[in-house]
Amino acid sequence: MYSQGLIGANATTDEDEEFLARFQARIDAEEKIEPNDAMPEGYRRTLVRQIGQHAHSEIVGMLPEGNWITRAPSLRRKAALLAKIQDEGGHGLYLYAAAETLGVSRDEMTEELLSGKAKYSSIFNYPTLTWADIGAIGWLVDGAAIMNQIPLCRCSFGPYARAMIRVCKEESFHQRQGYEIMMTLAKGTPEQKELAQDALNRWWWPSLMMFGPSDSASEHSDQNMKWKIKRFTNDQLRQNFVNATVPQGEHIGLKMPDPDLKWNEKTGDYEFGEINWDEFWRVVKGGGPMNRERIAARRKAWEDGAWVREAAMAHAQKRQARRDAASVAAE
Ligand code: FAQ
C-alpha cells in the first residue's frame, strides 16, 4: 500500500516551541500529516501505538469468528462469514502498512504483541459459544468498531485516515450480516430466540468496554483530541453507540441486559448502568477467558510462517545480487 522507501523517513526534529506551534497550526488548519513530514516524536509514538494495536485487534479478531466457519448453519451463512473474516485480515494488513510508514516494522509490532507489550482489543478475549455469538459479534462488535472508526476517517495522519475509509465500508456490511443473523434467530423458535438473547447478554457489556476507559481515566484522550487523532472521547462514542443500538435490539424483540437502562427525554440519551471496570482492566492485562489461547494462536501462526518470510527474504537477496552482478558487468 505504501512504498517501503518511506519507512523510517519521517524527519527527526528538535522540538522547540516554535516547531510544536507550527505543527499544531497545521493540525488546527485540518491539514493531513504525511509520513515524510516533520512531526513531534510523541505524535509518531502514539500513532504507532494506536495503529499497531488496531492492526493486532483486526488479526486477533479473526479468531473468535473463525471458530464457527465449519459450523455455519448454511452455505449462505458460511460464505458471508468467510468473506467477513477475510476482510478483517485485510484491515489488519492496511493498518500494519500504515504503521510501517512511521518507521516501525511489522516484525517489531508482532514481537510487541507476542511479548504482551502491545495491546489488542479486550473484546476478542471472550469465547464464541454458540452460532448466535456470530450474530452478536457482527451486530455489536462491528457496530462499536464503526462508531469508533468513522471519526478516524478524519484523523490527522493521512495513511491512517485513508485506510479507515475502506475499512468502515466493509465494517458496515459486517454489522448488517450480524444484525440479520440476530433478526432471523429472534424471529425463529423460542429456543432460537433464547440463543440470540443469551448472546446479547454476554456480548453487550464487553462491547461497551471496547470504547476504552471512561474519560476521567483515559490517559491519552486529551493529547490525542488536540492532535485530532481522536475526534470524540471514549465516553461520547460509547454513548452514541448505546443510543444507536438500544432501538435496534428493541426492534427485534430482544432485551438489553441492563436494569438501569432508561431513556432520558431531556438529554436525548439512554442512561445506562455502571460498567465493570475491574473486569475491563483484568481482561486488558491478560486475565480474560481467552487471552492465553489468542496469544498462543498468534504465536503459532507467526512461528509456522517463519519459513515463508525467510524464503521471501532469500529470494529478494538473490534477485538483488543478480541485479548487482549485471550492473557491474555493464560498467
Ligand atoms: N482493549 O487512554 P486510552 C474491530 C488501552 S477493531 C484493550 O483511552 P486511547 C474490528 C489503551 O490502548 C477494534 N485495551 O487510550 C473487528 C491504553 O493502553 P496503552 C479495535 C484498551 O488510545 C470486528 C489504555 O487502555 N479498534 O473491532 C481498550 O486514547 C469484529 C488507556 O486508554 C481500535 O483499535 C480496549 N478496549 O483510546 C475485527 C480503534 N481501550 O496503549 C474482527 C482504534 C483502551 O497506553 C471482528 N483505537 N485500551 O498501553 C482507538 O480508537 C483508541 O486506541 C481506543 C483507546 C479508543 C481503543
Side-chain angles (χ1 to χ4, degrees):
M1 185 175 182
Y2 299 101
S3 150
Q4 294 288 305
L6 288 172
I7 292 176
N10 56 304
T12 48
T13 58
D14 64 6
E15 299 183 2
D16 57 22
E17 269 175 38
E18 196 200 327
F19 166 73
L20 293 174
R22 247 186 295 126
F23 182 77
Q24 191 59 46
R26 290 192 63 194
I27 299 276
D28 293 342
E30 297 289 339
E31 281 180 38
K32 285 278 176 266
I33 308 300
E34 298 298 338
N36 285 329
D37 294 350
M39 62 184 82
E41 180 56 18
Y43 179 82
R44 191 189 72 81
R45 269 207 314 263
T46 203
L47 278 168
V48 167
R49 177 188 64 81
Q50 177 168 327
I51 303 172
Q53 294 185 1
H54 194 165
H56 298 323
S57 302
E58 301 280 357
I59 301 292
V60 176
M62 298 167 78
L63 297 169
E65 288 171 295
N67 186 33
W68 279 88
I69 293 173
T70 55
R71 291 176 286 165
S74 69
L75 182 59
R76 183 171 86 88
R77 293 292 187 207
K78 186 185 289 227
L81 183 61
L82 265 174
K84 180 210 189 283
I85 296 173
Q86 227 163 16
D87 285 350
E88 307 297 2
H91 300 172
L93 299 186
Y94 312 152
L95 287 163
Y96 282 128
E100 279 178 320
T101 70
L102 290 159
V104 61
S105 73
R106 178 126 164 232
D107 287 17
E108 287 169 292
M109 285 183 273
T110 306
E111 291 304 330
E112 291 205 339
L113 170 72
L114 298 182
S115 72
K117 191 167 167 224
K119 297 187 167 74
Y120 59 92
S121 184
S122 49
I123 192 75
F124 302 118
N125 292 306
Y126 292 87
T128 39
L129 303 178
T130 73
W131 170 250
D133 289 18
I134 301 306
I137 291 180
W139 174 34
L140 303 174
V141 177
D142 286 274
I146 297 169
M147 197 55 86
N148 167 272
Q149 288 170 177
I150 296 268
L152 288 175
C153 298
R154 293 191 295 122
C155 160
S156 57
F157 185 57
Y160 194 23
R162 289 190 289 274
M164 278 301 113
I165 294 170
R166 177 157 170 190
V167 168
C168 285
K169 286 184 184 159
E170 292 177 350
E171 299 291 23
S172 118
F173 145 66
H174 301 165
Q175 195 270 354
R176 273 179 280 167
Q177 72 90 39
Y179 189 58
E180 205 243 337
I181 291 173
M182 293 301 265
M183 196 188 282
T184 306
L185 289 172
K187 275 195 310 211
T189 63
E191 289 81 5
Q192 285 171 323
K193 186 167 183 185
E194 185 44 42
L195 274 184
Q197 182 63 56
D198 171 62
L200 169 59
N201 294 349
R202 285 182 289 106
W203 290 91
W204 175 247
W205 291 104
S207 299
L208 298 192
M209 294 174 195
M210 283 176 73
F211 294 93
S214 61
D215 292 352
S216 56
S218 169
E219 189 188 329
H220 304 292
S221 277
D222 285 349
Q223 184 58 62
N224 288 357
M225 296 280 285
K226 198 166 163 225
W227 277 330
K228 298 190 195 287
I229 294 170
K230 272 179 158 173
R231 297 282 177 160
F232 297 96
T233 70
N234 299 356
D235 286 336
Q236 285 169 337
L237 291 174
R238 188 167 15 245
Q239 184 67 59
N240 291 349
F241 174 73
V242 172
N243 290 350
T245 312
V246 170
Q248 293 170 357
E250 283 169 0
H251 181 68
I252 55 176
L254 297 180
K255 197 171 162 358
M256 296 299 170
D258 179 357
D260 297 324
L261 188 72
K262 61 172 187 290
W263 173 247
N264 183 325
E265 196 74 49
K266 276 202 203 109
T267 59
D269 286 323
Y270 281 94
E271 290 171 8
F272 53 95
E274 186 61 26
I275 290 172
N276 183 343
W277 292 116
D278 290 343
E279 175 181 329
F280 171 74
W281 289 115
R282 192 171 57 249
V283 174
V284 168
K285 289 180 182 150
M290 298 298 283
N291 292 63
R292 281 158 61 123
E293 283 84 346
R294 300 298 182 233
I295 289 297
R298 288 309 306 141
R299 178 167 288 114
K300 181 173 185 317
W302 188 246
E303 285 167 3
D304 287 353
W307 71 272
V308 179
R309 295 190 298 278
E310 281 160 18
M313 286 302 287
H315 180 62
Q317 277 158 7
K318 248 193 232 166
R319 285 181 53 156
Q320 186 60 45
R322 243 182 266 139
R323 268 198 300 267
D324 291 348
S327 67
V328 168
E331 273 168 15

